[in-house]
Amino acid sequence: MSPTTLDEETWGVRTLMGVHDLYTRLDQVVEEVNIDPPLSRNARKLIVSIPFPRKMGELADTLGVTKPAFTALADDLEKQGTLRRERHPDDRRAWLLALTEQGETARRALMLQANHFVQSVTGLNAKDQAELTRLLDVIRETNGNTECPYS
Amino acid sequence: MSPTTLDEETWGVRTLMGVHDLYTRLDQVVEEVNIDPPLSRNARKLIVSIPFPRKMGELADTLGVTKPAFTALADDLEKQGTLRRERHPDDRRAWLLALTEQGETARRALMLQANHFVQSVTGLNAKDQAELTRLLDVIRETNGNTECPYS
DNA sequence: TCCATTTAGTTCAGAATATGAACTATTCAG
DNA sequence: CTGAATAGTTCATATTCTGAACTAAATGGA
């Protein structure tokens, strides 16, 4: 039996390490999905996060990067034809990002396989998988991080 | 109620986005913990992943980076006095990484607050939090990614 | 109504982190 | 015993990132 340290036993530590592990392995599996044109890790995360046009600042927060880094990523994807910038209807400082048809196609390619590769990474039975999904939904709702159209 | 697209509804998509969201926000909260000496994002992930000496190749996989990138990170932390390299007892190609006293102190600083910041990010009640922890434990065990001393 | 402050996104210089190829040393399987 | 595979390192280069400073626009308080 492996030796344990005091902090190995806390639920906070196990959650932290478990989330990190799951995230890393999902990331690796998602990376194996062939998309045309090929997308970087950040690009894949971004297109998944755009089910409808969203503000750039919000999306930067969603990805966990600063605005300058996000601007560069958006520039690349705009040049590539994967997304486009749109003016915000109410705030002339702000821009929305929307996927082009090409971007929607790439997003759909990822989404259609999501069930498969989540299952392959988690290895959970259907009941536990449903429970995990529910808990993650609750966490996102608690923090107002569900996607909503701007309004 | 927000409009949904077809793929927004699948449990795979919700899990993928939920894990990404939770990971990003845990990462941001962990980043706010003051540690002496200051540690980069990868360094914090690394010391958390070393409850006992572990092989470099394994740890590179755990962090989701290539071996060259991992070598550089280990070099920096070794220079800084946070960890040290040890010879593998059975395999002269392999190196183990172990935390120094300084590294253990930094790790403990993170671990002691893990419960608090996991709670602050997830916002779950005790029952749901226990269930989330259990599910993440199951996922790690399923894939042989629980920490074990080499043997 | 005016104005100081704040916010959204961009540009820039530079830092941090990453990869693939090629390498050495070592292990393993046939 | 030997060829193939593995563990980690070095190197050149690519990718991604940040903070400061900026412009344009919105906001709130006097």
Side-chain angles (χ1 to χ4, degrees):
Chain A
M1 175 196 187
S2 62
T4 60
T5 62
L6 172 65
D7 26 44
E8 279 308 291
E9 288 165 22
T10 69
W11 54 266
V13 170
R14 283 153 55 210
T15 302
L16 198 60
M17 294 177 74
V19 169
H20 179 260
D21 174 63
L22 182 53
Y23 174 86
T24 301
R25 289 180 16 245
L26 282 173
D27 207 53
Q28 284 164 352
V29 169
V30 168
E31 188 157 345
E32 289 165 19
V33 177
N34 285 331
I35 296 175
D36 187 31
L39 296 174
S40 69
R41 175 181 290 179
N42 269 355
R44 283 192 307 275
K45 286 175 195 167
L46 180 55
I47 70 174
V48 161
S49 304
I50 309 182
F52 46 77
R54 292 182 66 194
K55 287 173 69 174
M56 290 181 67
E58 265 186 34
L59 288 164
D61 288 342
T62 295
L63 257 64
V65 298
T66 59
K67 285 178 169 168
F70 189 83
T71 294
L73 176 63
D75 284 350
D76 289 344
L77 290 170
E78 188 174 36
K79 256 184 216 118
Q80 193 185 46
T82 299
L83 59 73
R84 65 177 181 272
R85 282 175 166 90
E86 294 176 353
R87 301 307 301 260
H88 193 288
D90 303 324
D91 184 343
R92 293 197 288 186
R93 296 170 299 178
W95 289 89
L96 304 175
L97 292 189
L99 292 179
T100 59
E101 191 144 339
Q102 172 185 305
E104 286 285 357
T105 301
R107 184 177 193 271
R108 199 169 294 117
L110 286 172
M111 296 297 100
L112 286 174
Q113 301 182 55
N115 286 9
H116 170 71
F117 50 62
V118 164
Q119 176 58 43
S120 74
V121 168
T122 66
L124 293 174
N125 64 38
K127 180 170 177 286
D128 280 350
Q129 180 60 67
E131 183 62 3
L132 177 64
T133 304
R134 182 187 75 81
L135 292 171
L136 291 168
D137 287 345
V138 169
I139 293 168
R140 285 202 285 159
E141 284 158 11
T142 296
N143 290 275
N145 202 21
T146 51
E147 291 73 40
C148 290
Y150 60 87
S151 60
Chain B
M1 177 197 185
S2 62
T4 62
T5 62
L6 172 65
D7 26 43
E8 278 309 289
E9 289 165 21
T10 70
W11 54 266
V13 170
R14 284 155 53 212
T15 300
L16 198 59
M17 295 178 74
V19 169
H20 179 261
D21 174 65
L22 182 52
Y23 173 87
T24 300
R25 291 186 8 248
L26 282 173
D27 206 54
Q28 284 166 351
V29 168
V30 167
E31 187 156 347
E32 289 166 18
V33 176
N34 286 330
I35 295 176
D36 189 31
L39 296 174
S40 69
R41 175 181 291 178
N42 269 356
R44 282 193 308 274
K45 287 173 192 168
L46 180 55
I47 71 173
V48 162
S49 305
I50 310 182
F52 46 78
R54 293 182 67 192
K55 288 172 68 173
M56 290 181 67
E58 265 185 34
L59 288 164
D61 287 344
T62 295
L63 257 63
V65 298
T66 59
K67 287 179 168 172
F70 190 82
T71 294
L73 176 63
D75 284 351
D76 289 344
L77 290 171
E78 189 174 36
K79 260 187 212 113
Q80 194 185 47
T82 299
L83 60 72
R84 66 180 180 272
R85 282 176 165 89
E86 295 176 353
R87 300 309 299 264
H88 194 287
D90 304 323
D91 185 343
R92 292 196 287 187
R93 293 169 299 178
W95 288 89
L96 304 175
L97 292 189
L99 292 181
T100 59
E101 190 144 338
Q102 172 184 306
E104 285 285 357
T105 301
R107 184 176 192 272
R108 198 170 294 118
L110 286 172
M111 298 296 100
L112 287 175
Q113 302 182 56
N115 286 8
H116 169 70
F117 48 61
V118 164
Q119 176 57 44
S120 75
V121 167
T122 65
L124 294 174
N125 63 39
K127 180 168 177 285
D128 281 349
Q129 180 60 66
E131 182 63 2
L132 177 65
T133 304
R134 183 187 75 80
L135 292 169
L136 292 167
D137 287 344
V138 168
I139 293 166
R140 283 200 288 158
E141 283 158 13
T142 297
N143 291 275
N145 201 24
T146 51
E147 292 72 40
C148 290
Y150 60 88
S151 60

